[in-house]
Amino acid sequence: MGHPPLEFSDCYLDSPDFRERLKCYEQELERTNKFIKEVIKDGNALIAAIRGYSSAVQKFSQTLQSFQFDFIGDTLTDDEINIAESFKEFAELLHEVELERSMMVQNASDLLIKPLENFRKEQIGFTKERKKKFEKDGEKFYSMLDRHLHLSSKKKESQLQEADLQVDKERHNFFESSLEYVYQIQEVQESKKFSIVEPVLAFLHSLFTYNNLTVELTQDFLPYKQQLQLSLQNTRNHFSSTREELEDLKKRMKEAPLTCKLPGQPTIEGYLYTQEKWALGISWVKYYCQYEKEAKTLRMTPMDQKPGAKQGTLDLTLKSCVRRKTDSIDKRFCFDIETNERAGTITLQALSEANRRLWMEAMDGKEPIYHSPITKQEEMELNEVGFKFVRKCINAVETKGITTEGIYRTVGSNIQVQKLLNTFFDPKCPGDVDLQSGDWDIKTITSSLKFYLRNLSEPVMTYKLHKELVLAAKSENLDYRLGAIHALVYKLPDKNREMLELLIQHLVNICEHSRENLMSPSNMGVIFGPTLMRAQEDTVAAMMNIKFQNIVVEILIEHFGKIYSGPPEDTTAPPVPPPRVAARRHKPITISKRPLRERPIFFGASVEETGGECDSVPKPRSHGDKPVIMRPPVRPPDPPCRTPVPPKLEQRPDLIGGTAEEMPSSVVASRTKFFETASRGTSNSSSPQGRIPGDES
């Protein structure tokens, strides 16, 4: 089970549970840092120790075998499963390489050591700097807060106001440091999935490519490498799309930290001080309090001054709440409550005047209720004008630019997009726009279509079915995935299902031209997953499910004919399959468990060495036998894409394995352009989600 996500809203509350979860992330980060150091050390030993090559490879193999990824969330995608198993696969491969006594390539240091060193210093090192700032600002804030709360209310008003400003400033600094640290530590946890695996994958590729003794093993390794590259690229795309959503959520949390309360959480929670009367006087004890308005229950957890220490918890039922007059007590920000469990009045001290207002509002106290204005983004509706707009956009795209490279990934001008939308949805003459004219280019039309779908008051695939669709995509059973999504599509409202069918049919048409536009079902899923689906609550946990939204759209595209041939016999979702006992239906990609191929006999072998057999007759190789090589090394193919390979290339392996000069120039240019686009991720000119600047959920 992975670590639970760290919500940005927890940064403002700074609860003990938040600190405990943060500690788990820090321990995992330190474990990863130590792992990277070991990989770097072992990699250098492997490069340097040519004479002791076999033992160095074995140690490196053991290091990889001992590491297992921890992921955020409760379910892995198929691509993440491949990545999670990759180090075990690498370890098995290295064991076989050691048996066949391969040699290391000369440029292994540039491929393996430098990227891992850069990741450790730039990413993990930067995260540790964020941690230092977070701890320093937290210590400074709580120290000032304790001094601030002990100020007498009889001091001059100007002094009190100045003290309030200082506390608010330190609170703001600590909140920003906490946000930045949580964002950075989660980013490292997510990015390590490809930033650590990719250098090892590149190192292994070089290891198997540049040595004559490992040419046959390289031929076996290439399909696995290509599949793992696809998994890494898909995971990188999911990471890029999730990162944009997290940045947007972090920005909104900075502007209004109290407006993003998670569902199922208490009405209000935070730190309060309570007045305790003892035989020798009065003291103020710090509590972490959680209040549930409907049940009128107040949970108070006493806190020791040492962070993380806990004592017994009090559960109280609230009877009343009254603001404490300033002149009746020497402390500020106080209010009194009465409970069923305790006789008499309990005096509580909030952290500030605004904080007291929030507590009293939640407890129905006699303090005036304060509401902070929340600006709501203008929303669009799924009506006749919207259908007309979508159909016109689809017709224009399929007529003018269905073969455009990177269609829907490349974004248009924000000014032109707003102009098109304002013109089309003008109440005076809605829909009176000719998209076939030369006034509107393809990028403007595709960006406008995505903007419209993203700003619907409710997404096309509805909030009500969102959790069920995500759970279906998380299933290990591929048949259940398809059956559940098929049934859920027909539970959509009629107009939503009609709009979804219109859009998916269009995406199918786009993917049929993937050889020209380089847009596969996986690419379209990354772009339209967050466009057609979104969670009702903006949380980090919801952002982590974006990759499963992408899978839902990918399944709709790949199985469009089956899903829209008609509703299933039973429109309810099929029952959830029982826990897996047999092997997983979709097995992770593997190379270490492949069947051993028949290897040709070395050309110069004698009759005695071959057991009296003819040189031209192939002989099966047992698992431990040393291979014999007769064909020269060849250049491995370029990184793969999911577009179909032309038949002539499948029939001409010399073109796939040859140099760029031997390939047709159009093939070289197409491949080069595709991987430059894919590697940019969220660059200015393209986005995996196809978002326009300012395009926010």
Side-chain angles (χ1 to χ4, degrees):
M1 184 63 69
H3 297 305
L6 294 170
E7 298 294 345
F8 290 142
S9 57
D10 290 337
C11 297
Y12 188 85
L13 299 171
D14 194 31
S15 66
D17 182 61
F18 166 70
R19 289 291 185 135
E20 288 297 321
R21 283 185 280 128
L22 191 59
K23 185 178 180 181
C24 293
Y25 275 71
E26 291 168 349
Q27 291 173 347
E28 168 60 18
L29 187 65
E30 186 60 31
R31 192 171 73 94
T32 302
N33 188 36
K34 291 180 180 179
F35 164 73
I36 293 175
K37 288 181 178 179
E38 285 211 20
V39 171
I40 293 172
K41 182 185 70 174
D42 295 337
N44 280 322
L46 183 59
I47 297 169
I50 297 177
R51 294 180 181 177
Y53 176 71
S54 179
S55 60
V57 173
Q58 195 66 25
K59 177 63 175 66
F60 188 67
S61 171
Q62 293 171 359
T63 301
L64 295 178
Q65 183 77 30
S66 65
F67 183 77
Q68 179 62 45
F69 278 109
D70 283 341
F71 292 88
I72 298 176
D74 57 357
T75 308
L76 305 182
T77 65
D78 293 336
D79 293 318
E80 289 175 333
I81 291 171
N82 293 336
I83 293 173
E85 296 294 323
S86 60
F87 282 136
K88 293 182 180 178
E89 295 294 324
F90 296 159
E92 294 294 332
L93 275 176
L94 288 173
H95 180 68
E96 185 172 348
V97 171
E98 189 274 329
L99 291 176
E100 297 186 355
R101 300 187 183 280
S102 301
M103 294 296 291
M104 186 175 183
V105 295
Q106 296 179 355
N107 62 343
S109 179
D110 291 336
L111 292 175
L112 176 69
I113 306 302
K114 290 182 180 178
L116 292 179
E117 281 283 11
N118 290 339
F119 180 82
R120 191 176 69 84
K121 293 178 180 179
E122 297 173 6
Q123 295 296 323
I124 297 181
F126 181 67
T127 305
K128 290 184 176 181
E129 291 298 323
R130 289 285 189 193
K131 177 185 177 181
K132 291 178 182 178
K133 187 174 187 304
F134 165 75
E135 292 176 343
K136 180 179 178 181
D137 290 347
E139 183 179 354
K140 187 175 180 181
F141 165 63
Y142 282 115
S143 175
M144 178 174 286
L145 181 63
D146 285 336
R147 295 196 306 270
H148 178 65
L149 293 174
H150 285 82
L151 288 176
S152 172
S153 60
K154 304 186 184 308
K155 287 184 174 292
K156 293 181 180 180
E157 186 65 25
S158 60
Q159 293 178 325
L160 295 177
Q161 290 178 355
E162 182 180 358
D164 290 348
L165 289 174
Q166 290 178 347
V167 169
D168 288 341
K169 180 180 178 182
E170 291 302 325
R171 180 185 291 109
H172 180 74
N173 289 340
F174 173 57
F175 175 52
E176 284 204 343
S177 296
S178 181
L179 272 177
E180 294 296 338
Y181 179 47
V182 167
Y183 174 79
Q184 178 64 25
I185 200 170
Q186 292 198 116
E187 177 168 313
V188 171
Q189 289 283 13
E190 283 291 287
S191 64
K192 74 176 183 181
K193 289 185 287 189
F194 49 83
S195 297
I196 302 178
V197 177
E198 279 182 333
V200 179
L201 180 62
F203 166 76
L204 291 180
H205 177 66
S206 65
L207 180 69
F208 298 144
T209 302
Y210 291 96
N211 191 288
N212 290 348
L213 294 178
T214 59
V215 170
E216 285 201 1
L217 182 58
T218 302
Q219 300 306 311
D220 292 342
F221 176 70
L222 287 176
Y224 173 80
K225 172 210 165 198
Q226 292 173 347
Q227 290 298 318
L228 187 55
Q229 277 183 319
L230 285 175
S231 294
L232 289 166
Q233 187 59 48
N234 290 337
T235 306
R236 183 190 293 276
N237 290 341
H238 293 320
F239 166 75
S240 300
S241 60
T242 304
R243 183 180 185 181
E244 289 187 6
E245 300 290 345
L246 286 173
E247 286 178 345
D248 179 61
L249 179 60
K250 182 181 73 169
K251 180 180 177 181
R252 283 184 279 123
M253 281 297 302
K254 281 185 178 181
E255 296 171 353
L258 295 176
T259 62
C260 300
K261 190 176 79 67
L262 297 178
Q265 285 193 334
T267 307
I268 188 171
E269 56 184 317
Y271 288 101
L272 292 173
Y273 289 78
T274 182
Q275 187 183 67
E276 301 284 354
K277 297 180 180 179
W278 307 96
L280 300 178
I282 296 175
S283 64
W284 291 84
V285 181
K286 186 179 181 181
Y287 284 81
Y288 188 81
C289 301
Q290 298 171 301
Y291 179 69
E292 182 57 52
K293 187 171 185 177
E294 293 184 3
K296 290 190 175 183
T297 57
L298 177 64
R299 169 163 288 190
M300 301 177 65
T301 304
M303 303 299 300
D304 192 350
Q305 294 302 319
K306 297 180 180 179
K310 295 185 178 180
Q311 301 172 4
T313 300
L314 301 175
D315 290 317
L316 306 174
T317 305
L318 187 71
K319 291 170 61 178
S320 65
C321 173
V322 181
R323 179 179 64 85
R324 187 69 178 259
K325 292 183 179 180
T326 304
D327 54 4
S328 66
I329 193 170
D330 192 39
K331 300 285 186 180
R332 298 191 299 156
F333 320 136
C334 293
F335 58 99
D336 295 336
I337 63 171
E338 293 182 356
T339 63
N340 294 332
E341 291 75 13
R342 277 194 175 186
T345 299
I346 302 175
T347 299
L348 300 174
Q349 183 185 27
L351 304 183
S352 65
E353 183 60 34
N355 187 238
R356 176 170 69 173
R357 285 198 188 102
L358 292 173
W359 279 100
M360 293 193 63
E361 176 185 349
M363 294 180 172
D364 295 325
K366 296 182 180 181
E367 188 74 7
I369 298 176
Y370 173 78
H371 290 288
S372 58
I374 304 175
T375 303
K376 187 177 181 181
Q377 183 177 359
E378 184 179 355
E379 296 171 336
M380 295 183 172
E381 298 298 330
L382 196 62
N383 51 25
E384 292 183 6
V385 180
F387 270 91
K388 185 176 181 180
F389 175 70
V390 172
R391 289 192 178 98
K392 281 197 170 188
C393 287
I394 290 175
N395 291 335
V397 170
E398 296 188 355
T399 303
K400 298 168 60 176
I402 196 170
T403 59
T404 302
E405 185 175 323
I407 188 170
Y408 282 108
R409 179 190 287 122
T410 308
V411 299
S413 165
N414 191 35
I415 296 175
Q416 290 297 314
V417 169
Q418 293 299 329
K419 180 180 178 182
L420 173 55
L421 291 169
N422 292 337
T423 305
F424 198 99
F425 290 96
D426 185 355
K428 297 180 181 179
C429 50
D432 188 16
V433 178
D434 182 13
L435 297 183
Q436 299 287 352
S437 68
D439 297 337
W440 312 105
D441 60 19
I442 290 298
K443 293 188 292 185
T444 300
I445 295 172
T446 55
S447 296
S448 300
L449 175 59
K450 290 182 293 184
F451 185 90
Y452 165 75
L453 295 171
R454 276 214 159 201
N455 287 274
L456 290 171
S457 56
E458 185 175 29
V460 173
M461 301 185 75
T462 71
Y463 293 129
K464 182 179 179 181
L465 298 180
H466 179 84
K467 289 184 178 179
E468 295 181 66
L469 287 164
V470 169
L471 285 175
K474 289 181 176 181
S475 172
E476 294 181 344
N477 189 298
L478 302 184
D479 294 333
Y480 173 77
R481 283 190 202 177
L482 178 57
I485 292 174
H486 188 179
L488 291 170
V489 164
Y490 285 89
K491 293 175 73 174
L492 290 169
D494 292 341
K495 63 179 182 179
N496 294 66
R497 187 168 64 252
E498 181 183 353
M499 175 62 78
L500 183 63
E501 181 178 4
L502 183 66
L503 291 165
I504 300 300
Q505 175 67 75
H506 172 57
L507 300 185
V508 171
N509 295 339
I510 294 288
C511 294
E512 287 176 352
H513 295 79
S514 59
R515 192 173 299 174
E516 295 86 7
N517 58 38
L518 305 181
M519 297 304 292
S520 65
S522 177
N523 300 141
M524 303 310 293
V526 171
I527 294 170
F528 279 89
T531 302
L532 299 178
M533 293 178 63
R534 63 179 184 271
Q536 195 162 9
E537 65 279 358
D538 287 332
T539 65
V540 173
M543 304 303 176
M544 293 302 160
N545 282 332
I546 288 177
K547 56 193 174 187
F548 296 104
Q549 298 172 191
N550 304 346
I551 290 174
V552 171
V553 175
E554 186 176 349
I555 290 173
L556 291 174
I557 296 172
E558 291 178 340
H559 302 278
F560 174 79
K562 176 178 176 62
I563 292 175
Y564 282 99
S565 62
E569 295 180 1
D570 184 3
T571 55
T572 59
V576 178
R580 174 164 54 91
V581 177
R584 178 185 174 91
R585 288 291 306 277
H586 182 88
K587 296 181 180 179
I589 58 174
T590 180
I591 179 175
S592 58
K593 299 177 180 60
R594 73 195 187 286
L596 296 176
R597 64 158 66 182
E598 292 184 357
R599 298 185 184 271
I601 299 174
F602 183 62
F603 182 77
S606 65
V607 174
E608 291 77 10
E609 289 173 337
T610 60
E613 298 179 0
C614 178
D615 289 347
S616 60
V617 179
K619 176 184 177 182
R621 178 175 69 90
S622 63
H623 187 71
D625 291 345
K626 182 177 179 180
V628 286
I629 311 299
M630 64 180 297
R631 65 174 182 271
V634 294
R635 177 182 179 274
D638 291 322
C641 64
R642 290 196 176 182
T643 57
V645 179
K648 62 180 182 180
L649 292 184
E650 293 178 342
Q651 298 168 5
R652 295 283 305 279
D654 55 320
L655 290 182
I656 299 177
T659 62
E661 289 77 13
E662 297 171 330
M663 292 187 179
S665 59
S666 60
V667 175
V668 176
S670 175
R671 287 181 174 178
T672 303
K673 181 64 176 177
F674 175 78
F675 288 102
E676 286 176 352
T677 303
S679 65
R680 284 197 294 266
T682 55
S683 65
N684 293 333
S685 61
S686 64
S687 168
Q689 291 178 283
R691 302 182 68 178
I692 62 171
D695 183 8
E696 298 176 355
S697 300

